Each structure stands twice: as structure tokens, then as C-alpha cells.
Amino acid sequence: MKSLIISVTLFLLVALCIIINVGYIHSTADKIEKAAVGLAEPTEEKISALEELWKKNEGILGLSLSSTFLENVSKTVVSLRCAHESGDAAEYEKNRAFLFHCAEGIRGLERLSIENIF
Amino acid sequence: MTTIFIRTIIIYVVLLTSMRLMGKRQIGELELSDLITTLLVSEIASLPITDTNIPVSHAIIPIIILLTFEVVSSWLLVKFPFIKKYISTHSTMLIDNGKLCPSQMQKVRLTATELISELRQNGISSISEVQYAILEQNGKISVIQKPEYRQPTAKDMNIKLSDSGFYNIVIENGMVNSHGLSAAGLSKNSLNDMLKKKGLKPKQIYLMLISSEGDIEIIKKEKK
């Protein structure tokens, strides 16, 4: 009976963590997407805000997303900064587009869909 | 390297806790679900140890889910025995009262060669010696020999043997085993008194056993 109670409690705890995590991931993806929209007109402030956002959320996202994916997003953020500083508009837009893709990717990993399940 | 080191420890602790919660039946693999869970858990646990790309949570979550399913299903089996016919297999009689059952053998897809091999592993050379052979739920074959081939017991020979009772481990490697001590119906003080009479201390003893009849066996530690 003791092991039944403990295992069911752990299960409910895990379920709760998953629900919270899904909410968190969707909210973070929305914030990244919003930042990407705002970066259509690049400013130092906006890019720093994006870097700050990513730095703040990278650790917790690492609990459920693969390190390869996180690395790709980090690279995109860094490349965006470099492109802005070098004045390379084409590179900047490319990385901005990739940022949208990353946000969708973050959201997609926790989306309940036939593709994800199978 | 450090990551793998820490992940291994985490996964090990999670596995140990899970197997502990699942209990002895998991180790014995009594049911089909026990075998499936053991295989899955070991496979899942090894993934994030070797692949740092995979988050540790991708192992911990499935392990906890499998643990819950396993504990709940075994609890339901105890509470509602009728569920058993839906989720587990049953034993199959292969030799019934000395007669081989070919139809049952066909059902479980077991050949006569395989059966005879199993009998040999049970120390039996001929089918004619066997009264019952049962293919159990865990896949093992239990064999009961015909009375004339079984080893005679003390009862058969009308010999009265004394019952030594059940031995409890009271001291192991110098440490008092409180569980064994209470099972033997003794307190720490009575144990100390017992040892004092023999001129011994717990730290000097490698193994001490006490039976329910009060018989004591002591193995002292080797002197260095």
C-alpha cells in the first residue's frame, strides 16, 4: 500500500510538472516570437532584451529540450547580434527568420500532435 | 565527462528507488508486465547516461510512469483477481498425471525436444519419471516427479527430526541488525548480556544467527 501511494504521488507530481512545463514552454516560445517580430527594426536595446530573455530561460528549457536544439537557438541569437553589429542586413534577416523557426520548434516539441506521438 | 558522471548517479538513484518501490516481484519477474517493465526501464535509463544530448528528465519521467503502472497493475491484480485473465498469462500443464499433453505444448509453441531439455536441467532423464510439468507464467517449467522417483522424506521413513526453526541474522559484519533482532524476539540489552556471557562484543563478530528455537551460531571476525 505504501509503494502504491508513493508511486501514484510521484506520477501526479510528474503530471503536474509536465502541465506547468507545457505552459512555460509555450509562454517562452511566444516571448521569443514577439521579440523576433520587434526585431524587424533592430536596436541595441531589443537585441540585448532578446539575449537577456534567452539567457534567463535557457537553463529551464534545458530540462526538457535537447542540448543540440538549445545550441542552435543560442547560435541564432549570437549570429543576430553579429549581423546587426556588422551591418549585414541579409544575414540579420536570415537569422531573424530562423528565430521564428526556433520559437515554432520550441512550441512544436510540446505540442500534442500525431506527428509528435508517432 | 563530469556530466556523464553526475547523470549516472542520478539515473542510478532513480532506478534504485523505482525498483525498490516496485518490490521483489519485479526482480522475480512473476508476470509478463514485470518483464516488459524491467526491459523498458533498463533501456530508457541507459539513454541519457551515454547521450548528453538527451535531457535527464526524458529518462526520469518514463521511469516514474512505468513504475506507477507497474505498482498500480499489481495492486489491482491483488484487489480484483478477475482482471488477471485480461492482463496476464496463466500456467499451462504440459504433463498431466504422467501423460504428455501435445495440444497444450502446441498452444505454447513448445517442442518435445525443448521440454526434455528442461527436464534434464531439473535432473530428470526420462518423461516417464514426471507426474506434472507446468509452464509457469514467468516462462519457467516446474516439474513434479512421480512419488516413486521422489527423494524420500523424513515422514516417509518415519523419522522424527527436530525443528531448528528459522534463523535470523542478528549481527552482520560487526553491526547489529535491528530487524533480525526484533524477529528473534530479543532486545539490544538481552543480546549484549548474551554476548557478555561468551566474552564477546558485537564488533568482534562477523555473523551471528539466532533461531526461533533459541539456537545460536556465531562466526567471529578473522584476526588481522
Side-chain angles (χ1 to χ4, degrees), chain B residues 18-63:
Chain B
S18 304
M19 296 306 274
R20 177 72 181 84
L21 284 169
M22 284 189 239
K24 298 181 197 82
R25 60 173 294 133
Q26 201 61 36
I27 301 161
E29 288 172 11
L30 299 173
E31 291 282 347
L32 189 64
S33 59
D34 298 328
L35 174 65
I36 292 168
T37 306
T38 307
L39 288 171
L40 276 175
V41 163
S42 59
E43 205 47 51
I44 289 166
S46 65
L47 291 172
I49 291 174
T50 50
D51 188 352
T52 50
N53 201 26
I54 302 171
V56 173
S57 59
H58 284 201
I60 293 173
I61 291 170
I63 288 172

Side-chain angles (χ1 to χ4, degrees), chain B residues 23-106:
Chain B
K24 298 181 197 82
R25 60 173 294 133
Q26 201 61 36
I27 301 161
E29 288 172 11
L30 299 173
E31 291 282 347
L32 189 64
S33 59
D34 298 328
L35 174 65
I36 292 168
T37 306
T38 307
L39 288 171
L40 276 175
V41 163
S42 59
E43 205 47 51
I44 289 166
S46 65
L47 291 172
I49 291 174
T50 50
D51 188 352
T52 50
N53 201 26
I54 302 171
V56 173
S57 59
H58 284 201
I60 293 173
I61 291 170
I63 288 172
I64 289 174
I65 292 169
L66 287 170
L67 153 71
T68 309
F69 281 6
E70 193 47 45
V71 171
V72 168
S73 70
S74 53
W75 181 82
L76 285 172
L77 275 175
V78 169
K79 212 71 175 152
F80 308 105
F82 70 88
I83 295 173
K84 203 172 162 60
K85 65 178 175 184
Y86 299 112
I87 63 171
S88 71
T89 57
H90 53 269
S91 313
T92 306
M93 193 74 82
L94 303 173
I95 297 174
D96 188 1
N97 215 5
K99 286 186 189 158
L100 190 67
C101 307
S103 58
Q104 297 289 67
M105 299 240 321
Q106 207 165 20

Side-chain angles (χ1 to χ4, degrees), chain A residues 2-14:
Chain A
K2 198 167 71 175
S3 51
L4 177 71
I5 294 168
I6 293 170
S7 51
V8 169
T9 307
L10 282 172
F11 181 83
L12 292 172
L13 216 70
V14 161

